[in-house]
Amino acid sequence: GEGLKPFEEFDWVGQDLRVGDVGFHAEDRITRCASTKANPDTGHRDVDTLALMDAHLGHRDFGIALIASTDGQITIGDEVALT
């Protein structure tokens, strides 16, 4: 979202939040799959992306898994708010 710090969402794990009219529970961090090490054209493992991520970011995670707890609508520009 706009105005968030990089990887700020990692601090939300275990908390509830709302985007638009929809409530969510932040379940867990999502670790990148090892297939990111493969060249999509050849299938060869030409770069160890996960090792590079560890070295530069200190983790291999990108995003968090959200479980919807209510139904509703989300539109472009809706704020993300912890509840």
Side-chain angles (χ1 to χ4, degrees):
E2 294 289 325
L4 299 177
K5 292 181 260 171
F7 306 112
E8 180 178 336
E9 71 274 16
F10 291 164
D11 295 334
W12 303 346
V13 172
Q15 298 187 57
D16 294 318
L17 59 125
R18 181 165 295 285
V19 182
D21 295 333
V22 183
F24 293 94
H25 180 73
E27 192 69 20
D28 203 357
R29 289 167 66 150
I30 300 171
T31 300
R32 283 295 241 190
C33 173
S35 67
T36 61
K37 298 190 316 186
N39 180 313
D41 295 324
T42 66
H44 294 118
R45 302 205 186 275
D46 55 354
V47 176
D48 190 349
T49 306
L50 297 180
L52 291 171
M53 289 172 60
D54 275 339
H56 293 281
L57 301 174
H59 61 81
R60 299 175 178 201
D61 299 338
F62 270 92
I64 57 175
L66 298 177
I67 306 298
S69 55
T70 66
D71 58 1
Q73 291 188 341
I74 298 173
T75 57
I76 294 173
D78 281 346
E79 295 291 320
V80 175
L82 295 172
T83 58

